C-alpha cells in the first residue's frame, strides 16, 4: 500500500474543527461512547484518502471528534481486521493517519475472550503486554516516513498511562485487572486446544485486533494504553457455543463501565508522545 498517512492526516486536519492529541479506538459493542462527545464532528472512513469502508457488524467505520469531559478527543469507531482480507498496512491505516494528524496518545479498546480461568464476562482487563500470533506486521516493507525501523517493544503499553488508569479506576470503584493480550488472525473463535496453548504461552485474553495497530503506533512514537472487555470465557473454559451477537451484547454492557473509566482517564493523559 502506498504511503497514505500524510495525505490522510492532511485531510483530517483540513476537515476536523480542531486537532486533538488524544484518540480512542472503540472495539465491538463500544460505539455508544460516541454519545458521550459534545460538539461532535464525524468523518466516514470511506471519505478519507486511501481508506476502504469498514465491513464488520458492530463497527461503524468513522472518525468522530469532539470533547469528552472537557478534553478534545478523536474517536475511531470501528477498525479494519486482518481476517477481512486486509493487509497489515490497511489495518494500521487509521493509526498512521491519526499520528500524522498530531495525535500523541491512543487508547485502544477491544472485545476479547477470557483465557485466564478467573476472568468472567464483563471484566475489564488493562493490557500490560501482548503476543503477536497473527504472523503479520504493519512494519514489513520499506520504512514509512516518520516511523522507526526497529521500534522498542519492551513496554508497548505505557507504564505511566497504566498507572493513571489504575488510579482512576480505584477512585471510581471500577474493577480493573491487568493481563497479556494474544492477537490471533481469526475469524473463527479458537478451539479448546488453541486456548490451552495460548494460556501456556502466557496470555490472559485473546482477540483478533489491536496488535498491529499498537506496533504501528509505537513505530511513530505514539503512547499506547489499551483495555480488553472480556465478552466470554474462551472455548473450553465456559461451555456452550459463541456468537458475534453475544460478544457485542456483553461488550455493550461492560462498555458502560469502561466509558466511565475513560471519562476519568482521558483528561489526565499527557498530550505529548515519547521520543523514539
Amino acid at each position: 500500500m502506498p504511503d497514505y498517512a500524510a495525505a490522510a492526516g492532511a485531510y483530517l486536519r483540513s476537515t476536523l474543527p480542531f486537532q486533538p492529541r488524544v484518540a480512542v479506538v472503540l472495539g465491538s459493542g463500544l460505539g455508544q461512547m460516541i454519545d458521550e462527545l459534545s460538539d461532535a464532528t464525524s468523518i466516514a472512513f470511506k471519505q478519507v484518502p486511501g481508506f476502504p469502508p469498514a465491513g464488520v457488524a458492530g463497527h461503524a467505520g468513522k472518525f468522530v471528534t469532539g470533547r469528552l469531559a472537557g478534553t478534545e478527543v478523536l474517536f475511531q469507531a470501528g477498525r479494519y481486521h486482518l481476517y477481512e482480507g486486509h493487509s497489515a498496512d490497511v489495518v494500521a491505516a487509521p493509526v498512521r493517519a491519526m499520528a500524522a494528524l498530531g495525535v500523541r496518545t491512543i487508547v485502544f479498546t477491544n472485545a476479547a475472550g477470557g483465557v485466564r480461568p478467573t476472568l468472567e464476562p464483563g471484566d475489564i482487563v488493562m493490557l500490560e503486554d501482548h503476543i503477536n500470533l497473527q504472523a503479520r506486521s504493519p512494519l514489513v516493507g520499506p520504512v514509512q516516513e516518520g516511523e522507526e525501523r526497529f521500534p522498542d517493544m519492551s513496554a508497548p503499553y505505557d507504564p505511566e498511562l497504566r498507572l493513571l488508569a489504575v488510579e482512576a479506576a480505584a477512585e471510581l470503584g471500577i474493577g480493573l485487572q491487568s493481563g497479556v493480550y494474544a492477537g490471533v488472525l481469526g475469524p473463527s473463535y479458537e478451539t479448546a486446544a488453541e486456548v490451552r496453548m495460548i494460556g501456556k504461552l502466557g496470555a490472559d485474553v485473546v482477540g483478533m485486533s489491536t496488535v498491529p495497530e499498537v506496533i504501528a503506533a509505537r513505530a511513530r512514537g505514539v503512547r499506547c494504553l489499551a483495555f480488553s472487555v472480556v465478552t466470554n470465557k474462551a472455548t473450553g473454559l465456559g461451555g456452550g457455543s459463541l456468537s458475534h451477537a453475544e460478544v457485542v451484547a456483553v461488550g455493550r454492557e461492560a462498555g458502560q463501565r469502561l466509558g466511565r473509566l475513560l471519562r476519568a482517564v482521558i483528561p489526565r493523559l499527557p498530550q505529548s508522545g515519547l521520543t523514539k
Side-chain angles (χ1 to χ4, degrees), residues 71 160-161 164-165 167-169 171-172 263-270:
T71 300
E160 179 185 349
L161 305 188
L164 294 176
E167 293 172 349
E171 292 172 7
L172 294 171
R263 285 195 298 274
V265 169
I266 286 173
R268 310 181 189 201
L269 296 177

Side-chain angles (χ1 to χ4, degrees), residues 45-64:
F45 281 179
K46 61 184 179 182
Q47 296 176 249
V48 181
F51 278 32
V56 176
H59 290 255
K62 60 184 177 181
F63 292 111
V64 185

Side-chain angles (χ1 to χ4, degrees), residues 154-218:
S154 59
Y157 303 95
D158 191 284
E160 179 185 349
L161 305 188
R162 286 159 45 199
L163 180 59
L164 294 176
V166 169
E167 293 172 349
E171 292 172 7
L172 294 171
I174 294 176
L176 182 63
Q177 304 198 49
S178 294
V180 175
Y181 179 89
V184 297
L185 184 60
S188 62
Y189 292 111
E190 300 73 37
T191 69
E194 289 168 342
V195 169
R196 291 195 297 271
M197 176 196 72
I198 290 168
K200 290 180 183 298
L201 290 176
D204 301 286
V205 290
V206 59
M208 306 171 193
S209 67
T210 304
V211 170
E213 298 159 290
V214 170
I215 292 172
R218 293 302 307 122

Side-chain angles (χ1 to χ4, degrees), residues 42-174:
S42 178
I43 300 175
F45 281 179
K46 61 184 179 182
Q47 296 176 249
V48 181
F51 278 32
V56 176
H59 290 255
K62 60 184 177 181
F63 292 111
V64 185
T65 192
R67 291 178 175 82
L68 184 71
T71 300
E72 295 178 349
V73 64
L74 178 66
F75 276 178
Q76 177 189 321
R79 54 173 25 122
Y80 301 114
H81 298 81
L82 292 169
Y83 63 72
E84 296 174 87
H86 295 305
S87 68
D89 271 343
V90 171
V91 172
V95 165
R96 285 171 163 152
M98 291 188 291
L101 174 66
V103 167
R104 305 315 302 153
T105 300
I106 301 179
V107 182
F108 297 90
T109 68
N110 60 56
V115 174
R116 191 168 74 218
T118 57
L119 292 175
E120 297 292 336
D123 284 349
I124 299 174
V125 178
M126 181 176 60
L127 303 189
E128 57 188 17
D129 208 342
H130 70 231
I131 303 171
N132 186 0
L133 298 178
Q134 297 176 327
R136 307 287 192 280
S137 171
L139 306 185
V140 171
V143 181
Q144 293 202 18
E145 184 177 353
E147 293 189 359
E148 189 173 359
R149 173 79 287 181
F150 300 106
D152 177 21
M153 296 297 288
S154 59
Y157 303 95
D158 191 284
E160 179 185 349
L161 305 188
R162 286 159 45 199
L163 180 59
L164 294 176
V166 169
E167 293 172 349
E171 292 172 7
L172 294 171
I174 294 176

Side-chain angles (χ1 to χ4, degrees), residues 215-240:
I215 292 172
R218 293 302 307 122
R220 290 181 177 248
V222 175
R223 306 178 77 168
C224 299
L225 179 65
F227 301 94
S228 289
V229 171
V230 178
T231 54
N232 56 275
K233 283 182 170 291
T235 305
L237 298 178

